[in-house]
Amino acid sequence: MPGNKGVVYEGPGKVEVHTLDYPEFELKDGPGVNPANVGRKVPHGAIVKAVATNICGSDQHMVRGRTTAPQGLVLGHEITGEVVEIGPDVEFIKVGDLVSVPFNIACGRCRNCKAGKTDVCENVNPDRPGSAYGYVDMGGWVGGQAEYVLVPYADWNLLKFPDKDQAMEKILDLAMLADIFPTGFHGCVSAGVKPGSTVYVAGAGPVGLAAGASAFLLGAAVVIIGDLNKERLEQARSFGCETIDVSQGDPKDQIEQILGEPMVDCGVDAVGFEARGHGSDAGEERPATVLNTLMEITRAGGALGIPGLYVTGDPGAADEAAKHGSLSIRLGLGWSRSLSFTTGQCPVMRYHRQLMMAILNDRVQIAKAVNAIPLPLGQAPQGYQEFDQGAASKFVLDPHGMLARFR
């Protein structure tokens, strides 16, 4: 049996690479594991050797100490890899398959899964609908920033790449299918992006950049991305987005300079609960700023896609209400403008197959758009530090050295 190593949260601001147990077809007790899930048998699962496993902004929220994540939690929910073992109940996935692992863990059997709402599966997290690998309050499924990871309900969850050699040539692009590409795409679909749309994306992190690329894939006429980080805004311009620096004033004034009117057809929140203020408040945390701005600048009757993360528990919040996920949102404004809102995790399985086909047939270069950079697994702490400092990059961990030629 091979060994296993993975990235472990050791408290606010600190991650380390530790030796881990090799996965078994049973969920063991450990940090963050729901007691009702301990001992859960997984004969329907597969053990995946991680070829690529990404650092996500959602991981960064935990590492900053902005959630109730316990020390010792194995991180990572963006996994692409090769199947090395299958459980006795797996029928269609085979050893040797190269696969994308949706970050949502879903059973494929419950009412929500059958309706395509795999982001809120009812059977994988005893606390509430919805689950993910290596994430706080998500049932305790072990994270995938590791050499090997257990994936339950393998026949349902895993997306097999049709040609392994072709997939390895495009592996940095395909690594984005586990989360940020479908998440950005979902934000745009939820916002109603269509051919000819004008789109404002708040946030130029990896999800915001993925949303920008997705908007163009959906036919948008103009995509505007707003952020405080000049390097990330430069990255957005590299594939055709207009950009605004929200530290320079109200986004609607800058949008008017670009479009000739202070509003867009579609708005996407790719920031979430650690939002900063705009203009003179740019250095201060203002968790409701992005949502309120989007309600102001999105055309009446339009829609907001909100893939940015919001949490029910934020011990590092600036005020007591925000510590419990309560924000000063101008709901009356949204109601009066007849705006639609779509929140929650992206149901990855709704999109990942068609986005895979777009990648394999050269219709999108998502790794280039988000500036994907491979790092050895041992450099994960450095990747987390640089990402926290605002690097205009998407760090892809390489546990087995299979991405060395892309560095």
Side-chain angles (χ1 to χ4, degrees), residues 207-341:
V207 170
L209 295 171
S214 297
F216 284 128
L217 194 59
L218 288 163
V222 182
V223 179
I224 304 169
I225 295 186
D227 204 295
L228 300 163
N229 183 310
K230 290 179 171 53
E231 289 74 23
R232 290 181 173 180
L233 292 174
E234 183 178 350
Q235 181 63 28
R237 289 192 293 273
S238 74
F239 60 95
C241 298
E242 302 286 344
T243 61
I244 62 175
D245 182 344
V246 297
S247 70
Q248 300 304 305
D250 196 317
K252 71 175 182 291
D253 297 330
Q254 298 183 66
I255 288 170
E256 185 170 21
Q257 292 175 13
I258 295 168
L259 297 177
E261 58 179 350
M263 64 183 63
V264 294
D265 300 323
C266 313
V268 178
D269 174 4
V271 177
F273 74 103
E274 287 194 67
R276 301 281 170 175
H278 296 154
S280 60
D281 293 332
E284 300 177 21
E285 193 162 302
R286 296 283 188 270
T289 293
V290 168
L291 290 172
N292 288 332
T293 296
L294 286 171
M295 285 189 278
E296 280 191 287
I297 59 118
T298 302
R299 189 179 305 279
L304 307 184
I306 309 174
L309 176 68
Y310 289 87
V311 295
T312 56
D314 175 11
D319 61 70
E320 193 61 34
K323 289 180 180 179
H324 305 284
S326 181
L327 309 181
S328 298
I329 297 170
R330 298 180 61 193
L331 186 60
L333 173 63
W335 189 93
S336 69
R337 295 172 63 80
S338 193
L339 297 173
S340 300
F341 298 73

Side-chain angles (χ1 to χ4, degrees), residues 50-275:
V51 173
T53 176
N54 313 335
I55 296 174
C56 180
S58 299
D59 300 318
Q60 198 72 62
H61 291 306
M62 289 188 291
V63 172
R64 288 182 185 131
R66 298 299 298 268
T67 72
T68 55
Q71 185 174 333
L73 186 72
V74 181
L75 300 170
H77 56 268
E78 299 190 16
I79 310 157
T80 308
E82 181 183 4
V83 175
V84 293
E85 291 186 51
I86 56 174
D89 290 353
V90 177
E91 186 175 0
F92 303 111
I93 289 292
K94 306 298 182 187
V95 170
D97 287 346
L98 194 61
V99 296
S100 178
V101 184
F103 81 90
N104 322 111
I105 301 173
C107 73
R109 296 154 166 80
C110 71
R111 175 178 177 176
N112 283 341
C113 282
K114 289 180 178 180
K117 300 175 182 178
T118 55
D119 54 315
V120 281
C121 173
E122 297 175 330
N123 289 332
V124 288
N125 182 359
D127 279 337
R128 61 177 187 241
S131 189
Y133 304 89
Y135 210 82
V136 59
D137 296 333
M138 287 292 185
W141 299 90
V142 178
Q145 285 174 16
E147 293 175 322
Y148 298 92
V149 63
L150 172 66
V151 175
Y153 303 104
D155 281 328
W156 170 249
N157 282 306
L158 295 178
L159 174 67
K160 177 185 172 181
F161 301 139
D163 184 285
K164 289 181 70 172
D165 291 337
Q166 182 192 26
M168 284 305 300
E169 289 298 317
K170 296 179 178 290
I171 196 65
L172 289 184
D173 294 283
L174 295 170
M176 303 306 141
L177 291 174
D179 182 354
I180 66 163
F181 193 12
T183 294
F185 194 84
H186 178 60
C188 290
V189 170
S190 302
V193 178
K194 296 177 176 62
S197 296
T198 56
V199 184
Y200 176 67
V201 178
V207 170
L209 295 171
S214 297
F216 284 128
L217 194 59
L218 288 163
V222 182
V223 179
I224 304 169
I225 295 186
D227 204 295
L228 300 163
N229 183 310
K230 290 179 171 53
E231 289 74 23
R232 290 181 173 180
L233 292 174
E234 183 178 350
Q235 181 63 28
R237 289 192 293 273
S238 74
F239 60 95
C241 298
E242 302 286 344
T243 61
I244 62 175
D245 182 344
V246 297
S247 70
Q248 300 304 305
D250 196 317
K252 71 175 182 291
D253 297 330
Q254 298 183 66
I255 288 170
E256 185 170 21
Q257 292 175 13
I258 295 168
L259 297 177
E261 58 179 350
M263 64 183 63
V264 294
D265 300 323
C266 313
V268 178
D269 174 4
V271 177
F273 74 103
E274 287 194 67

